[in-house]
Amino acid sequence: MELKGKLEQKLAIEKGTSKAGKEWSKQTVIINNGDQYNPNTAISFFGDDKVKMLDKYSAGQEVSIAVNISSKEFNGKWYNQIDGWKISGATASTPNPDLNNS
């Protein structure tokens, strides 16, 4: 799945160590898709390679992010997770001539 919008904010990089002793890093970005209601979406990038991809982008840029969406249950409640795995500058779409003749 792909989400497009304006990069609103890059949150601070989080780092830690798993129970297995492996180092991990994560950075979350907020994009605004322009919808009237609930336009902002938080997308997390896990791993050094994915976090480094974000270095080329800053707030205000139009981006396209490939994501995986998953849900997990904990104590009877469900939580959603949106993980980004690719980011690129958004490209303008070509207008559909059939829609312009309405």
Side-chain angles (χ1 to χ4, degrees):
M1 174 179 259
E2 192 169 82
L3 299 176
K4 294 180 181 183
K6 182 171 71 167
L7 182 62
E8 291 287 325
Q9 187 177 10
K10 289 182 359 183
L11 304 181
I13 296 172
E14 300 175 45
K15 294 182 182 242
T17 305
S18 70
K19 289 181 183 178
K22 295 182 104 178
E23 299 287 324
W24 59 267
S25 63
K26 170 181 110 166
Q27 187 168 20
T28 300
V29 298
I30 310 300
I31 65 165
N32 182 319
N33 64 16
D35 286 349
Q36 181 178 359
Y37 300 105
N38 303 315
N40 293 328
T41 303
I43 302 168
S44 297
F45 286 80
F46 286 94
D48 289 336
D49 56 335
K50 292 182 181 76
V51 169
K52 285 183 184 185
M53 287 190 300
L54 299 173
D55 289 344
K56 295 190 288 185
Y57 301 93
S58 57
Q61 285 185 278
E62 292 292 325
V63 295
S64 178
I65 302 175
V67 299
N68 291 326
I69 301 174
S70 60
S71 298
K72 295 179 183 173
E73 183 270 336
F74 180 73
N75 288 339
K77 292 187 180 184
W78 284 88
Y79 299 89
N80 296 321
Q81 177 70 38
I82 304 174
D83 295 317
W85 55 272
K86 181 180 174 186
I87 184 169
S88 60
T91 57
S93 60
T94 306
N96 184 339
D98 295 333
L99 296 176
N100 292 335
N101 294 331
S102 309

